[in-house]
Amino acid sequence: PEQKKRQEYINEFQRLEKIEPHAVYPTSIYRQSDGCTVATEEVETNRRAILRMEETSTGTFTKITIAEQLNRYFAYHGVETKVLLASGNEAAKDIENVQQILIDLKKLGAMRNEPLLIVGGGVVADIAGFACALFHRNTPYVMLSTSIVAGIDAGPSPRVCSDGQGYKNAFGAFHPPVVTLTDRTLWRTMHVGMIRHGIAEIVKMAVVENRELFELLEKVGPKYLVPTKFGTDLSTIEDLEGLDLESFDKDCERLVGMAMESYVRAEYGNLWETHQCRPHAYGHTWSPGYELPAGMLHGHAVATCMGFGAYLSWKHCDWISEADFVRICKLINDLELALWHDVMSDKQIFHASTKKMIQKRGGNLAAPIPRGEIGECGYLNDITDDELSRYVDEYKELVTEKLGFARNGYGIEPHLHEVGLEETSTQATALVREEIAFGEQQRKSKYDHAEEKKDESGTGPQLSYNDWIKAVQTDRNSEWKYNVVSSESVDTPKPPAFPHNTLFHDTTEEYAMSQTSVSSFNIQTAAKITDEEKLFAPCMVGTLESQFLKMFTKTMKASNILDVGTFTGMSAIAFAEGSLAAGQRATVHTLEFDETTAKAAQKIFDHCEPSVGKAINLHHTDAVAWMRSCAEDPNGGTFDIIFIDADKDNYTAYYELAMGGNGCRPLLAEGGVILADNSLSALVYDEDDSRRV
């Protein structure tokens, strides 16, 4: 009887998913929406406007760009135009660039009585649409899509957004375009890697919404779809024998039309996303959390998540057969998309993705995955982190080894930088790690508060000095921002205003970072490996301090430098670069007591440019003992610069040894300089010293 009741409950639950999804997966209880999609019988056929070709005086033909055609169109109709430019880089898809568009619209005096025209791919569609949602609270726009992602997904989508804090589409609004124009002939000029990643948005609709579309992808996709850019460039195909060009062209039209119709039907029935029965979110459950840290193209990230979702449907839910799982993965692999990326093995980031998605979906995971058969959708809601960890490992083994997929399940050109776009991984990873650390600190706070109460009552142990240091370091860096610049900042017409006289203005460091030279390859390498090794990144000196140390060393023409406290070596690298830049025979001795960080530092030095790496001598030892031994050697050398940035309770000992205290000879050369980091930090003083307050 219990089993029968449970099955009846499951059947009713699944029925409600289809007829009243607000009852099972509401985003919130305060709003509901219903809608329908109307399509003509010709929905599978797109009207096409072929790029014009003009004959020149020499008899050759030249392409007319989209921008030029638009300029001529508006000029012919006597329409005055004002053009704003926005970056299409994923790295530029942030709230700051949305704000810049708003500022520009205000300067141009844009009004709401006629729509703006947005021309671009997915990133431009998202941030410009978001700006329209905010400008005058509701400014209409027309979307002319120039990429697959924009044409099929981001362009017609009512969801407009920007990334934030290393997470995909963290901020946004609901603001659909007046109309979206999608023309696949505009895709002819796209990088083939952008074509490939865009196809993922078609695959997702095929797997969970449209079996016919799936079968058409199997027929057309693997051999011709990517290289011909959806039939718009046949010059890449050497052997056209056996290819019915007319039939192929019609199939390409049908693919785009069916994908758009399936997407819009799913999206516009739930226009305000008031429930989470959203099949078009297939592949978008875990990937938003690791796409930016991995520096992946959106389509490849979605593809890895689709493959994993299909695996969960087969193994965890028993909703599809093994054959259908393999069939889905084979299509993804045949289209040269990624089934696997190594970032998925980072369980810390993966589980953080689960947590953030549950928050985003109103308390439910509601992960759309195939159910029943290809072309139908169900929603996974109950799964533990331990189960996910096990399934991720099993999935990796299957798609990278056992099933024999091409490229061991990896995609072709899956990263932003491989198609000429700015990478996001370094900064995004740091932001994600910071958020994870902050969350862990918050979870511990209740326990810590209880322990403090015990201490006050005398029933618990007092906090040790080292534990106190660790707690203070974690707390004071809970809102730490990544401090290594890897690309030039956009120039601004004038500096920010500082209307009040304060010692440390909130925006001073940010402004200084933007006006400081981009970090060297060696410094960026140090930042990257520090993050990969999961070490405490706020201990890095960062762009500002490393550039200062480099400049100071170069100005002094210092050749011998002692770096007390290596951490992962960023200060040592800065000293070596500065000395070499001054034409000196650089020798840097750097001291590190901790074995883990010393190993990481040596790994970094080994990856540096040879001249820099050879100039650095890493000593894994106790700094006081090493300095004392050096000072007791009458024939030992001296140092032009001694940089103290180690354990704070030994600062006095380091200073005295540098200056020749306790009867030893000084380690500081005549005319040399001592630099001490964190000298105003409370951590420098004794545990009972009142100056710690």
Side-chain angles (χ1 to χ4, degrees):
E2 287 296 323
Q3 185 65 27
K4 182 179 179 182
K5 288 180 180 179
R6 177 173 175 77
Q7 189 57 51
E8 288 175 351
Y9 174 82
I10 292 173
N11 292 341
E12 180 63 14
F13 194 93
Q14 293 177 357
R15 188 179 75 89
L16 285 172
E17 279 185 4
K18 296 182 180 298
I19 65 170
E20 186 45 72
H22 294 98
V24 289
Y25 294 129
T27 306
S28 75
I29 62 172
Y30 303 105
R31 201 176 195 184
Q32 292 189 12
S33 64
D34 285 305
C36 65
T37 304
V38 178
T40 65
E41 293 181 1
E42 297 80 22
V43 69
E44 295 176 7
T45 303
N46 294 320
R47 295 181 179 179
R48 301 174 59 187
I50 299 174
L51 281 171
R52 289 181 55 198
M53 308 285 284
E54 286 195 351
E55 188 173 5
T56 66
S57 58
T58 60
T60 60
F61 286 84
T62 181
K63 294 177 184 176
I64 306 301
T65 65
I66 300 170
E68 180 59 24
Q69 289 190 62
L70 288 172
N71 287 335
R72 294 183 183 187
Y73 172 84
F74 288 122
Y76 178 82
H77 290 282
V79 178
E80 181 185 358
T81 59
K82 296 177 182 178
V83 179
L84 299 178
L85 298 178
S87 172
N89 268 300
E90 187 69 39
K93 187 180 168 181
D94 55 30
I95 198 70
E96 287 82 5
N97 280 295
V98 174
Q99 182 181 26
Q100 187 58 54
I101 294 173
L102 289 169
I103 292 170
D104 291 340
L105 289 174
K106 183 65 176 175
K107 288 179 180 178
L108 292 177
M111 297 186 292
R112 291 196 292 180
N113 59 329
E114 61 181 3
L116 301 175
L117 175 64
I118 298 175
V119 182
V123 170
V124 173
D126 281 339
I127 62 173
F130 191 8
C132 286
L134 298 175
F135 192 67
H136 294 315
R137 295 187 298 275
N138 180 358
T139 296
Y141 68 99
V142 170
M143 183 67 218
L144 174 57
S145 306
T146 61
S147 73
I148 302 177
V149 173
I152 292 171
D153 185 273
S157 174
R159 293 169 290 112
V160 290
C161 50
S162 72
D163 301 336
Q165 295 301 105
Y167 192 74
K168 185 81 173 174
N169 302 337
F171 314 127
F174 296 98
H175 189 54
V178 176
V179 64
T180 299
L181 306 173
T182 298
D183 179 357
R184 66 182 168 95
T185 61
L186 301 182
W187 305 344
R188 189 172 189 267
T189 58
M190 292 177 65
H191 189 293
V192 69
M194 301 298 287
I195 296 288
R196 185 183 296 113
H197 104 92
I199 292 177
E201 299 293 353
I202 299 179
V203 175
K204 73 175 185 182
M205 300 313 304
V207 173
V208 294
E209 275 285 288
N210 194 322
R211 185 182 184 90
E212 184 182 358
L213 178 60
F214 186 92
E215 292 169 347
L216 186 58
L217 275 172
E218 287 182 314
K219 170 190 170 185
V220 179
K223 189 173 182 180
Y224 297 114
L225 207 55
V226 174
T228 68
K229 301 179 181 179
F230 279 73
T232 63
D233 184 2
L234 300 178
S235 64
T236 57
I237 306 298
E238 295 180 1
D239 182 15
L240 291 175
E241 290 186 16
L243 177 62
D244 184 337
L245 294 179
E246 183 177 354
S247 176
F248 176 61
D249 188 67
K250 288 181 179 178
D251 284 341
C252 289
E253 291 285 352
R254 290 183 63 220
L255 278 172
V256 177
M258 291 167 68
M260 287 189 70
E261 195 273 342
S262 297
Y263 174 81
V264 172
R265 188 176 296 280
E267 183 77 278
Y268 277 71
N270 183 21
L271 188 61
W272 306 108
E273 201 176 310
T274 57
H275 65 75
Q276 290 301 319
C277 290
R278 304 170 57 244
H280 48 289
Y282 174 50
H284 293 69
T285 297
W286 290 279
S287 63
Y290 59 72
E291 175 182 327
L292 299 181
M296 295 178 74
L297 284 161
H298 179 64
H300 284 279
V302 169
T304 60
C305 196
M306 287 194 291
F308 181 62
Y311 181 74
L312 292 176
S313 181
W314 165 43
K315 274 291 186 179
H316 182 72
C317 303
D318 195 25
W319 284 352
I320 62 172
S321 65
E322 179 181 2
D324 277 348
F325 159 69
V326 173
R327 186 179 176 188
I328 292 167
C329 289
K330 183 178 185 303
L331 176 63
I332 293 170
N333 185 249
D334 287 346
L335 291 170
E336 301 174 342
L337 290 162
L339 284 167
W340 175 260
H341 190 284
D342 291 340
V343 72
M344 298 168 73
S345 290
D346 190 323
K347 299 305 195 305
Q348 191 180 48
I349 288 180
F350 201 89
H351 294 319
S353 302
T354 307
K355 177 184 176 182
K356 283 183 279 193
M357 188 52 66
I358 290 173
Q359 293 170 346
K360 186 173 184 177
R361 292 177 177 169
N364 289 300
L365 181 62
I369 53 177
R371 181 171 68 189
E373 60 179 30
I374 292 173
E376 296 183 2
C377 186
Y379 300 89
L380 167 64
N381 204 48
D382 298 315
I383 190 166
T384 66
D385 282 352
D386 288 342
E387 289 172 324
L388 279 172
S389 292
R390 186 177 79 251
Y391 287 133
V392 167
D393 292 341
E394 292 174 359
Y395 172 73
K396 176 186 178 181
E397 185 178 9
L398 265 183
V399 298
T400 63
E401 298 176 22
K402 291 186 176 180
L403 293 178
F405 287 127
R407 307 172 307 279
N408 296 321
Y410 289 85
I412 293 180
E413 296 177 324
H415 299 105
L416 293 163
H417 69 85
E418 291 174 308
V419 296
L421 298 177
E422 186 179 344
E423 75 96 35
T424 62
S425 60
T426 304
Q427 185 170 8
T429 303
L431 289 168
V432 170
R433 296 266 187 244
E434 173 194 347
E435 185 175 352
I436 291 170
F438 180 71
E440 290 176 350
Q441 180 67 16
Q442 290 233 320
R443 283 194 296 273
K444 292 176 181 177
S445 63
K446 290 184 179 179
Y447 170 79
D448 292 342
H449 184 62
E451 290 298 305
E452 286 175 10
K453 284 190 173 182
K454 285 183 181 179
D455 294 344
E456 291 170 3
S457 63
T459 58
Q462 294 293 318
L463 198 64
S464 71
Y465 184 43
N466 286 335
D467 287 341
W468 172 78
I469 289 176
K470 183 177 179 181
V472 171
Q473 285 278 37
T474 301
D475 181 66
R476 75 187 184 98
N477 289 290
S478 62
E479 297 183 5
W480 176 80
K481 292 185 177 180
Y482 201 65
N483 63 358
V484 176
V485 175
S486 57
S487 60
E488 287 190 8
S489 299
V490 178
D491 196 14
T492 55
K494 55 186 178 181
F498 300 107
H500 306 293
N501 294 319
T502 57
L503 182 60
F504 298 112
H505 194 280
D506 288 343
T507 60
T508 301
E509 183 172 0
E510 183 180 340
Y511 176 68
M513 289 272 283
S514 70
Q515 301 303 309
T516 300
S517 300
V518 175
S519 299
S520 68
F521 164 80
N522 303 307
I523 293 294
Q524 291 188 46
T525 298
K528 183 179 179 182
I529 294 178
T530 298
D531 181 72
E532 289 173 350
E533 297 292 327
K534 298 181 176 61
L535 297 172
F536 192 58
C539 285
M540 296 187 301
V541 296
T543 291
L544 286 178
E545 194 169 345
S546 63
Q547 291 292 73
F548 169 77
L549 295 176
K550 179 178 178 180
M551 179 185 70
F552 191 88
T553 306
K554 182 178 179 182
T555 303
M556 277 194 64
K557 295 185 178 180
S559 59
N560 295 316
I561 300 102
L562 176 59
D563 178 33
V564 185
T566 311
F567 187 54
T568 54
M570 199 171 284
S571 54
I573 292 170
F575 287 127
E577 289 181 340
S579 182
L580 291 167
Q584 302 299 307
R585 185 178 294 176
T587 302
V588 180
H589 291 275
T590 182
L591 315 178
E592 178 57 49
F593 180 77
D594 183 76
E595 182 178 2
T596 301
T597 50
K599 286 182 178 178
Q602 190 59 60
K603 180 179 179 181
I604 289 168
F605 299 149
D606 292 341
H607 282 77
C608 285
E609 294 168 348
S611 60
V612 172
K614 290 177 181 178
I616 300 172
N617 303 281
L618 173 63
H619 305 277
H620 175 212
T621 185
D622 177 88
V624 171
W626 189 92
M627 292 176 69
R628 182 176 291 114
S629 175
C630 186
E632 290 172 351
D633 181 0
N635 299 316
T638 56
F639 301 95
D640 303 316
I641 297 174
I642 297 178
F643 181 50
I644 302 174
D645 185 21
D647 52 324
K648 311 312 173 192
D649 47 337
N650 273 323
Y651 262 39
T652 303
Y654 299 139
Y655 176 79
E656 289 179 350
L657 286 166
M659 295 299 291
N662 298 322
C664 297
R665 70 177 183 86
L667 296 179
L668 188 66
E670 185 176 349
V673 175
I674 295 176
L675 300 173
D677 198 6
N678 311 121
S679 58
L680 296 180
S681 170
L683 302 178
V684 173
Y685 305 111
D686 293 335
E687 184 177 6
D688 297 326
D689 195 314
S690 61
R691 289 172 293 177
R692 276 182 47 178
V693 178

